[in-house]
Amino acid sequence: MKEFTYYQPKSVDGAIGLLDAKWGKTELLGGGTDLLDLTKEYVAQPDKVISLTGIANFADIQVAPQTGKGSVVLIGAGARLAAIADHAHLQKIFPALTTAAGMIGGPQIRNMGTLGGNLCQRNRCWYFRDEHVHCLLKGGQKCFALDGENQYHAIFTQGHKCVIVSPSTLGPVLIALDATAEVQGPKGKRTLELAKFFFAPSGENEREHVLAPNEVVLSVKIPEKEGTRNASYEVRQKQSYDWPLVQAAVAFKADGGKATGVKIVLGHVAPTPLVVEAAAKEVEGKEVTDAVATAAGKAAAKDAKPLSQNGYKVKLVEVAVKRALLTAANPGKRQYWEV
Amino acid sequence: MNYRINGKSFAAEPRPGQCLRTFIRDLGWFGVKKGCDAGDCGACTVWLDGKPVHSCLFPAFRADGREVTTLQGLAVDGKLHPMQQAFLNAQAFQCGFCTAGMIMTAASLSEDAKKNLPFHLKGNLCRCTGYHAIEDAIHGIASVEEDRAGHACGTSLANPRGEPIVTGNAHYTMDVAIEGMLHLKVLRSPHAHARITAIRRDKALAVPGVRAVFTWEDVPRRLFTTAAHDDYHVDPDDTYMLDNVARFVGQRIAAVVADTEAAAEEGCRLLEVDYELLRAVFDAEEAMLPGAPQLHVGKDVDSRIQDPVRNIFLKIEAETGDVARGFSEAHAVYEGTFWMPRIQHAHMETHGTIAWRTPDSRVHVRTSTQTPHIIKNKLAYLFGMFPHQFHVFSEFVGGGFGGKQEMLTEDLCVLATMKTGRPVKWEFTRSEQFTAATTRHPMKITVKLGARKDGTLTAMQMHTVSDTGAYGNHAGEIIASSLGSSLATYRCASKKGTGYAVYTNTVPSGAFRGYGATQPAFAVECAIDELARKLGIDPFAMRRTNMIRAQDPVHSIWPFPNDGVIGSYGLDQCLDFVEQALASGRGETKPEGDEWREGRGVAIHAQDCAPPTEHRSEAHMSLLPDGTYHLSVGSAEFGNGIRNAQRQVAASVLSARAGSIAMDFVDTDKNPYDTGTFASTGTSVATLGVQKAADALRENLLEVASQVSSVPVAQCSLAAGRVRCGDRWLSLQQLYEASPLREKLHVSRKVYGSPRSTAFLAHGFRIAVHRVTGEIRILQSVQGFDAGTILNPMQSRGQLEGAIAQGIGVTLFERMKFDASGTVVNPTFRHYRIPAFADIPRSELFFADTYDRYGPLGAKPLGEAPIIPVSPAMGNAIADATGIRFHSLPFSADRIFSQLAELQ
């Protein structure tokens, strides 16, 4: 790895002051589970690494009750994935979030990795991760996965020059839950819907999110809605430590047996999390039965344009959406597919 | 900065960007291991303020002021942590390399978390055990039995070196600090086929700390093979230590040695190499076509390459009986082509060597190997020196599975230490394991079988194309093996085989557990089921009709006699067990819903013990003045448990406690010659030598006892660690002191790997396949194994469980993927997925009751073969469940979904 200088500022302002306005020379260090790997592989070669762990209250999880409206949950960007996964109140109101956080990596990764890191991590494309491959995201002229080895790549490829999949598992869940992120840059703070947080990069000066190089995610806010039902379901190649092949996050309001305000978001199938409105329409206003869930799965997969080796993921989308909906609709029930 | 590690305080400054793992090791705590250096395997797990983290991904800076605990800090006041004791009691390790991290995770689990181990052990990989013993340990189940004199054989005795493993004090290859040590790194070829026209080293040499750069111009221009065999003629001498032609992406181009690993790495990056690109070929069949790029043309006689123009290292063809007539007599014929991809051993300790010279002109080579004696001879050959000038040894070796029957790191370390005069260390990265170590030979195999209406086989024919990659190490023995045991498993008068070992511009293949028998067994066992299906015969009945019987000769395609024999026969017992177990209703039930299809599958195998070529071993055994024994044998221990088995055999012969027999680590200065531990020879050759030495020592002891006591030798016996002379008892110490001829108390015996007996096994699966997702759930896994006498039941179960787990990995997930330039795209555990705890079911195991007439105390080997029937049993189960025959591995969702989609 290339040598760099390490900083541990005590405040967000301090961190922002150290950040460069361009990508490449400075990197933020959350849990380090992604950045250390990238630097060891020379994919990231920063001069400065700015640790965020010195900032006070950066890892807090706050639940603020609101009168008559459920609570508002505020999660600091530095919150460990393990802390999110194990949070008893979150488990009750946002099982989609705690399940997804608990499925990431293994226990060691969850003890290190953070919410902010999960949202801002680099993609897992094996061409991108190989220092010697000069792909689009490293200033090159082509996406090697497009006609190369692409079994884990995007299946919703329309309009994308680079066919990575968004690596964030919390992103789709937070979009489904209508969360917002607070970010801070040199000009101050701004609030961003999670649905607008992610970005499909196609060049070396772009990342998998819309933040500027000198912006920092401070926290994520999730409103609890009355009668909310939510779930995240992942299909994996193995039972264990893997990035999911496909993820579906769903949220809706259970309104006298009918689902309303349905949100269905796919993960790991496109360069960003993908909101599938057509699938939500299949469920809106209906009871979530096996047949409705199956129809929603089919609708979710309908527009997929897979690559040469990943057609199988289209089928997985159907199953993931179906299972996520049935899980959300039947909290606490042991489903037939569970081991 | 101030660090507290294992209760001790340090003031130290980590290097910029240094991770906690290397920082801790630099401070001398070697109990923290590198398995992947990327947060995938968990071998480096430490506690940070009591919580497990991957120290390889944890910035060392961040541990400032926090409490770091490693495995070496877990015991308090010399008393083991309960989890360490539990791992000892269950012997929840084989090579012990992953144990350092596994215990740290296990010891952090709450009682509640222990109820969901598949989930909580996601971050720790073990390649040896198959996780059953680890589960036992965490649940407090003990397997170790008491070591009583005269009862060693057949008892589950603990590994005598278990305590260093569970305390983190076991020293693996890299776990030493040597003053003045240099670090070696290698620049590897980015091209699959290229000629080097120039290498400019100025910039590399200008890096502070870089001491030397070596290229092809600096090494002895001597062809050799990296494969380790007693008879080196079986492999082609087609390799140079450093070459001016690169034949695969990842081949060594130049070596840089420097004061630090970082400087060596930087030096490699600053080397400037000009290449003349050559056309490359990646497919073995294409490589044989006219006009294909030639890899080794001009090396025919020197290298023993049969047809370098067509890239064929070796073609084998033979026939017994009359296959054409056999097929003409058949009522049903099945022909199918099967394909097995390239896979990697994935032992947790990567390849690595440390070498240094002493003033007596000797070179000492501390290395991670299965074959220390062959390495010694190879180094002598390469450097034009005498074998006695080399001292090759290991302490703990972190797994091998065949991957360490190869010289991959020793030669360059020796070169660098000879040139610089300094100790030199080289440790492979996990990526190098995939791009530059060896792999299992990919094979394309066409099998044709014919049978009569009653199922009797009339002809068997096999055509194998084996891709040996850029170099031919092991290619000849493997192609021969591929035409051997899987055909010999069946009685059939007419058998024919053709095999090609072919060069391509890909990473070299090599020895892998199962050694050329796994790939054809997949083809043949799937074909047997297909033929049975055509004839409407049950797969078990089909096998019973045709499988080899106790009185049969062991023969495949060769018409001349061979030394394969059946020393005991238990295939029938194994198959009965599998059939009854699958029918028993035990195991998991199929998930609900018509999306899931259930099926059962079986496969059998007869595996010859020891290679058909040369294999030798010698054992020395002595009675010591204090009445204990010393046993010296040169076969390597790398987690396979062979040294414990050897101790047990000697203890049984001498009616002693196994604990009264001391053994050294493998060391060419201390141990007599042994070809190496591979091809199941640890038991069938080396342990047989141990038995013969122990027999000889026993005879001598009784003779001495008779002389000393004046009691006839017939009335003298060894019992309970003492000598009985009539009605008088002597301690062994007394016997030693009274012995008139001390020479009688030291014996030596040599053995040779012939005849080669046969082990038998059967594997069965009951599975559920999800017809949409392609998910495969293993509902039941059962294996019956005939290994003759079971020397150590606990260890034997561990070998089976580990091999089955490895088999499940290569059947369901594992495959090295190459892009169009011949580059491995998945050289990490994150993308090359080996099974974790959650992926492996608990197998039901059965050992047949037989006694082999050739093996040590009736034993046959069992470490190699249990992987062999796993893939075909799974393939047959999937075919039973879905009606679809999948012809290539692995059975991952991306590869099977399109055919499954046709199922409604």
Side-chain angles (χ1 to χ4, degrees), chain A residues 1 3-6 8 29-34 36-37 40-42 45 51-53 80 102-112 124-127 129-133 149-152 233 235-243 245 309-312 315-316 318-319 322-323 336-339, chain B residues 1 15-19 37-40 42 45 51-54 56-59 61-62 101 105 118-125 262 265-266 269 431 591-593 595-596 770 772-775 777 812-813 815 817-819 823-826 830-831 833-836 838-839 892-894 897 901:
Chain A
M1 85 170 65
E3 294 205 347
F4 53 74
T5 317
Y6 177 82
Q8 190 160 28
L29 180 69
T33 59
D34 191 25
L36 260 73
D37 192 34
K40 283 181 189 182
E41 298 295 329
Y42 291 87
Q45 300 189 31
S51 170
L52 295 168
T53 41
R80 304 281 161 197
M103 294 288 280
I104 295 167
Q108 296 99 317
I109 294 283
R110 295 193 294 275
N111 285 334
M112 300 160 74
R124 310 296 320 174
C125 170
W126 41 38
Y127 292 106
R129 296 245 159 196
D130 181 342
E131 181 206 352
H132 304 289
V133 178
E149 297 300 316
N150 52 34
Q151 73 187 88
Y152 300 133
Y233 186 85
V235 184
R236 290 161 176 267
Q237 185 176 17
K238 300 191 302 161
Q239 297 301 315
S240 56
Y241 188 155
D242 275 339
W243 264 258
L245 298 170
Q309 298 177 356
N310 64 9
Y312 71 103
K315 287 282 176 194
L316 302 187
E318 293 181 13
V319 173
K322 174 182 169 181
R323 290 184 182 179
Y336 65 85
W337 58 80
E338 287 175 47
V339 178
Chain B
M1 290 182 159
R15 295 191 304 275
Q18 186 171 23
C19 68
D37 208 26
D40 297 325
T45 302
K51 281 190 178 167
V53 297
H54 294 300
C56 69
L57 287 185
F58 196 87
F61 293 97
R62 285 221 173 135
T105 303
F119 184 74
H120 290 282
L121 290 180
K122 273 166 72 176
N124 290 82
L125 297 174
E265 195 173 291
E266 187 61 13
R269 298 172 64 81
S431 286
E592 291 166 34
E595 289 172 341
W596 292 97
H770 191 279
V772 182
T773 62
E775 184 186 346
R777 288 247 175 105
L812 296 184
F813 325 115
R815 178 191 175 201
K817 283 182 75 90
F818 294 82
D819 69 9
T823 308
V824 181
V825 298
N826 56 345
R830 219 162 283 185
H831 286 135
R833 292 166 172 174
I834 70 170
D839 305 305
S892 53
D894 59 308
F897 89 100

Side-chain angles (χ1 to χ4, degrees), chain B residues 197 227 249 345 469 590 676 716 750 790 884:
Chain B
T197 53
V249 175
H345 314 76
K590 180 182 89 74
C716 295
K750 290 178 190 166
I790 299 302
I884 302 169

Side-chain angles (χ1 to χ4, degrees), chain B residues 182 226 264 331 428 454 460 464 516 522 667 672 706 727 736 781 787 868:
Chain B
L182 298 180
T226 60
H331 297 115
F428 265 25
D454 65 356
M460 304 180 84
T464 300
F522 174 60
D667 186 320
S706 169
D727 50 11
Y736 183 93
S781 164
I868 294 173

Side-chain angles (χ1 to χ4, degrees), chain B residues 267-310:
Chain B
C268 286
R269 298 172 64 81
L270 292 175
L271 284 169
E272 295 172 331
V273 186
D274 295 339
Y275 296 97
E276 175 198 343
L277 298 190
L278 305 171
R279 283 196 308 130
V281 60
F282 304 119
D283 178 85
E285 287 182 312
E286 280 173 31
M288 291 190 283
L289 296 176
Q294 294 164 345
L295 274 81
H296 293 286
V297 81
K299 282 190 200 159
D300 39 6
V301 175
D302 288 349
S303 297
R304 300 180 299 279
I305 298 172
Q306 205 176 60
D307 186 355
V309 171
R310 293 177 62 209

Side-chain angles (χ1 to χ4, degrees), chain B residues 55 407-408 424 645 661 841:
Chain B
S55 61
M407 186 163 81
L408 296 178
V424 174
I661 299 170

Side-chain angles (χ1 to χ4, degrees), chain A residues 114-337:
Chain A
T114 62
L115 168 63
N118 186 270
L119 298 177
C120 297
Q121 65 184 305
R122 302 302 319 255
N123 71 84
R124 310 296 320 174
C125 170
W126 41 38
Y127 292 106
F128 172 71
R129 296 245 159 196
D130 181 342
E131 181 206 352
H132 304 289
V133 178
H134 200 50
C135 76
L136 282 177
L137 299 191
K138 287 181 275 185
Q141 294 302 310
K142 73 176 251 199
C143 172
F144 288 78
L146 214 47
D147 54 2
E149 297 300 316
N150 52 34
Q151 73 187 88
Y152 300 133
H153 287 76
I155 53 170
F156 291 89
T157 52
Q158 294 92 323
H160 295 301
K161 285 190 264 181
C162 157
V163 291
I164 58 164
V165 295
S166 165
S168 174
T169 307
L170 299 185
V173 173
L174 293 170
I175 293 171
L177 294 173
D178 288 329
T180 54
E182 187 168 46
V183 303
Q184 186 176 338
K187 291 178 192 159
K189 295 180 184 175
R190 61 175 174 137
T191 300
L192 195 59
E193 288 171 37
L194 252 293
K196 295 178 179 162
F197 185 92
F198 295 97
F199 184 75
S202 58
E204 63 180 326
N205 296 315
E206 294 170 342
R207 289 285 168 102
E208 292 81 350
H209 51 74
V210 298
L211 303 197
N214 49 12
E215 279 187 306
V216 179
V217 186
L218 303 180
S219 61
V220 166
K221 190 195 266 184
I222 321 169
E224 186 194 348
K225 295 170 187 166
E226 219 174 322
T228 178
R229 294 283 171 82
N230 57 83
S232 167
Y233 186 85
E234 298 172 16
V235 184
R236 290 161 176 267
Q237 185 176 17
K238 300 191 302 161
Q239 297 301 315
S240 56
Y241 188 155
D242 275 339
W243 264 258
L245 298 170
V246 165
Q247 174 199 12
V250 302
F252 53 82
K253 189 177 171 191
D255 207 350
K258 305 268 195 295
T260 60
V262 181
K263 286 261 183 140
I264 300 178
V265 189
L266 304 179
H268 307 272
V269 294
T272 64
L274 195 70
V275 179
V276 277
E277 281 165 16
K281 264 191 202 143
E282 292 287 340
V283 186
E284 190 67 37
K286 295 179 191 162
E287 192 187 338
V288 182
T289 59
D290 204 84
V292 167
T294 303
K298 288 204 188 307
K302 197 166 75 55
D303 292 334
K305 282 216 164 34
L307 303 165
S308 57
Q309 298 177 356
N310 64 9
Y312 71 103
K313 286 177 70 168
V314 180
K315 287 282 176 194
L316 302 187
V317 165
E318 293 181 13
V319 173
V321 168
K322 174 182 169 181
R323 290 184 182 179
L325 281 166
L326 291 174
T327 304
N330 304 284
K333 183 185 167 191
R334 188 186 158 87
Q335 298 286 357
Y336 65 85
W337 58 80

